[in-house]
Amino acid sequence: MLGRFTLRGRVMLAYGLLALGLSAVLAMVTWGVVSDYLTHQREQSAKLVTEESTTALRYGLFGVPDPCQPAREHTECPEPTLQPGVSPMAVLNSLPSTDAAASMLYVDEHWYALTGKPSDLPPDLIQSALGGTPVQRRIDINGRPVLAVGVPLGAGTRGDAFFEWHPLSTLDATLDTLKITLIAAAVATTLIGLAVGRLASTVALRPLAELAGVADAIAHGKLDARLQAENDKDLGGLARSFNRTAADLERRVATDARFAGDVSHELRTPLMTMLNSMQLIQNHRDELPAAVREPVELLGDDLDRFRRLVIDLLEISRDDGGDRGSRETVRIADLVRAAADAAAGREVTEVEHEAEGLTLQADKRRLERVVANLVENAEDHAGGCKGVGVRTGGLGVVITVDDAGPGIAVEDRARIFERFGRGETSGRGRGVGLGLAIVARHVQWHRGTIRVTERPGGGARFVIELPAKTS
């Protein structure tokens, strides 16, 4: 499951889960302590109010706050008796106002109530209070939560008691508010944890991002890229090892490039001699015996293929050797038209009107080579060039080269740009598999992109995007 997340995502998730766990534990502890405290306070308050009202009732009904007070010296309390002429309902009406929602009195085997109905009280709660045991319980009256409190009026066998219920809506609303606040705080803490995790991962993974950037630069041919963390106590060893490896690679590539360049230069002189000799022989082809003409043609084709190989090797060795080239402002339409038409030997270029004025800071030689190689590839291996287009779009300008061949299989579209890489549908011809590798290198040098798609109507279409601007 965690494999689906990036390293940065896993760090963020770890911080977020940690924040969620801590906030959840804190919220539960806070909820438990505060809710128990508020509930206990409300119950004690309700009980105290009911006991005070009970004391007032005892005085009004029996003449004393406590029926057992006259018999403190005796072992038993006397049976409490109502004062002559006292009306229980009048005494109940004379009680001071409290937060009670209902007050009910059971005395002398009769019920008296200002508000509420005795039938709403649980029977066992009534029996406990009438039996001389103070009792309180949370119940629902018409869907509203209340705290019912029952207090006996005396300790005798008479079985008189006073009942009140106190609304708990305010307490429940307070607890609901507390619950929502704690949940919101937990969510906010989790989000803060994720933000802190992102910040921490950004700081912690910055050297790794730099390493990835430098490695990507080297993979794209910038062999002089180096890490700048050699003095870091934690990453210094890795940085120095990586930089040594990159330096060794750069030296190896430069050595190989110089070797290829030297070999290619050394081959040019004998190659020119052989080409001139072959040209002389071909000029007198009609004078040659018929049995010799076919071997001479084959030899001429191989010499031309050898010439292309030497030229391509010189081009690649120049790039690998660190040739940075020179940039100048060129009109893309004019350059593409001249290079493509010359390579095809006929007019094949079509320029969109909006693209006529586009310019590019380019190495003219490299860009001409890109266009020429693609057109020659179409001519030699794909049934001929069907057209070269220049239009606005993409990074600035889009150059397309269409051919009449069978197209290039999807699995081969990346491989054909590798050195000596040839697709299964490329056919057999004079190419050696370096032309498209040179094209890809030169396009990349211009900070552009190249890809292969299908041409409408059949064949392959090479699409180049280069950063350009209107002149």
Side-chain angles (χ1 to χ4, degrees):
M1 184 67 179
L2 289 178
R4 299 180 181 178
F5 294 92
T6 62
L7 181 57
R8 185 187 302 274
R10 290 196 290 270
V11 173
M12 288 178 57
L13 182 62
Y15 272 86
L17 292 177
L18 177 62
L20 177 61
L22 292 176
S23 59
V25 171
L26 182 61
M28 288 188 289
V29 171
T30 302
W31 167 260
V33 172
V34 175
S35 62
D36 288 348
Y37 175 77
L38 291 178
T39 302
H40 178 72
Q41 289 295 105
R42 181 64 180 126
E43 291 175 351
Q44 290 297 109
S45 174
K47 182 179 179 180
L48 180 62
V49 168
T50 303
E51 287 179 348
E52 290 178 349
S53 298
T54 302
T55 301
L57 279 174
R58 287 170 179 162
Y59 188 82
L61 293 173
F62 306 122
V64 292
D66 184 354
C68 289
Q69 185 176 2
R72 291 293 183 190
E73 64 280 5
H74 302 292
T75 57
E76 295 182 359
C77 288
E79 188 76 16
T81 57
L82 291 174
Q83 297 185 84
V86 173
S87 170
M89 193 66 187
V91 175
L92 191 61
N93 274 319
S94 67
L95 293 178
S97 299
T98 64
D99 65 349
S103 299
M104 291 165 288
L105 174 64
Y106 183 82
V107 64
D108 202 15
E109 299 183 354
H110 288 85
W111 281 100
Y112 303 91
L114 294 178
T115 55
K117 296 180 296 180
S119 60
D120 291 332
L121 294 173
D124 58 331
L125 184 144
I126 296 174
Q127 293 302 321
S128 296
L130 295 180
T133 303
V135 63
Q136 61 185 32
R137 184 184 304 171
R138 182 189 179 105
I139 62 175
D140 287 332
I141 304 297
N142 297 324
R144 294 183 302 168
V146 299
L147 181 66
V149 182
V151 179
L153 292 178
T157 61
R158 186 184 196 86
D160 302 330
F162 177 62
F163 302 89
E164 284 186 334
W165 64 61
H166 302 264
L168 297 177
S169 301
T170 301
L171 174 63
D172 288 351
T174 301
L175 294 178
D176 288 341
T177 302
L178 175 63
K179 185 187 303 180
I180 294 172
T181 301
L182 291 176
I183 294 174
V187 172
T189 303
T190 303
L191 294 177
I192 293 174
L194 290 173
V196 172
R198 180 175 180 82
L199 178 61
S201 65
T202 300
V203 174
L205 298 179
R206 187 173 297 160
L208 186 59
E210 181 185 355
L211 174 61
V214 173
D216 183 68
I218 292 177
H220 284 82
K222 191 178 179 181
L223 300 179
D224 59 345
R226 298 290 185 271
L227 289 175
Q228 304 299 320
E230 292 192 2
N231 295 325
D232 190 293
K233 293 182 179 179
D234 299 317
L235 300 175
L238 175 62
R240 287 188 292 271
S241 178
F242 181 89
N243 288 343
R244 283 196 301 269
T245 302
D248 292 341
L249 176 63
E250 183 180 21
R251 285 193 297 270
R252 179 65 180 270
V253 170
T255 300
D256 291 346
R258 284 195 299 271
F259 175 77
D262 292 342
V263 170
S264 300
H265 278 292
E266 291 298 325
L267 289 175
R268 292 184 69 179
T269 300
L271 178 61
M272 291 304 297
T273 302
M274 287 187 290
L275 288 172
N276 291 333
S277 300
M278 178 55 64
Q279 186 63 45
L280 180 61
I281 294 173
Q282 288 179 342
N283 290 340
H284 297 277
R285 182 176 181 277
D286 295 338
E287 302 175 9
L288 296 174
V292 179
R293 291 176 186 176
E294 184 177 357
V296 168
E297 290 293 335
L298 294 175
L299 180 60
D301 289 342
D302 283 342
L303 280 176
D304 186 60
R305 186 169 180 268
F306 188 32
R307 178 185 63 83
R308 288 170 176 262
L309 173 60
V310 171
I311 293 174
D312 288 344
L313 285 174
L314 282 173
E315 188 72 18
I316 287 182
S317 64
R318 180 182 297 173
D319 278 352
D320 290 344
D323 179 19
R324 299 185 180 276
S326 60
R327 295 183 184 272
E328 58 181 300
T329 301
V330 298
R331 291 177 65 90
I332 299 173
D334 296 340
L335 184 146
V336 172
R337 187 182 290 114
D341 294 350
R346 64 188 186 280
E347 291 186 4
V348 294
T349 307
E350 182 179 347
V351 180
E352 187 182 68
H353 176 71
E354 289 78 5
E356 286 285 357
L358 292 176
T359 62
L360 173 66
Q361 290 293 317
D363 185 318
K364 189 175 180 180
R365 179 190 63 81
R366 280 185 166 97
L367 198 53
E368 288 176 342
R369 188 66 185 276
V370 167
V371 177
N373 276 15
L374 290 177
V375 174
E376 290 174 0
N377 184 74
E379 290 288 313
D380 296 340
H381 308 297
C385 179
K386 297 295 290 184
V388 178
V390 181
R391 60 179 175 84
T392 57
L395 299 175
V397 63
V398 178
I399 303 171
T400 59
V401 179
D402 295 340
D403 64 41
I408 299 175
V410 175
E411 60 270 18
D412 292 332
R413 292 179 181 177
R415 187 172 57 191
I416 61 173
F417 293 107
E418 299 173 359
R419 295 183 184 184
F420 303 103
R422 304 179 66 185
E424 295 296 330
T425 58
S426 62
R428 301 184 67 86
R430 295 175 293 171
V432 294
L434 290 177
L436 293 181
I438 293 173
V439 168
R441 289 287 295 271
H442 288 352
V443 170
Q444 181 184 342
W445 188 90
H446 286 91
R447 300 185 182 90
T449 62
I450 183 170
R451 67 183 188 277
V452 185
T453 62
E454 294 182 2
R455 180 179 72 88
R461 169 172 289 177
F462 288 81
V463 182
I464 300 172
E465 295 184 14
L466 297 172
K469 60 182 179 179
T470 303
S471 60

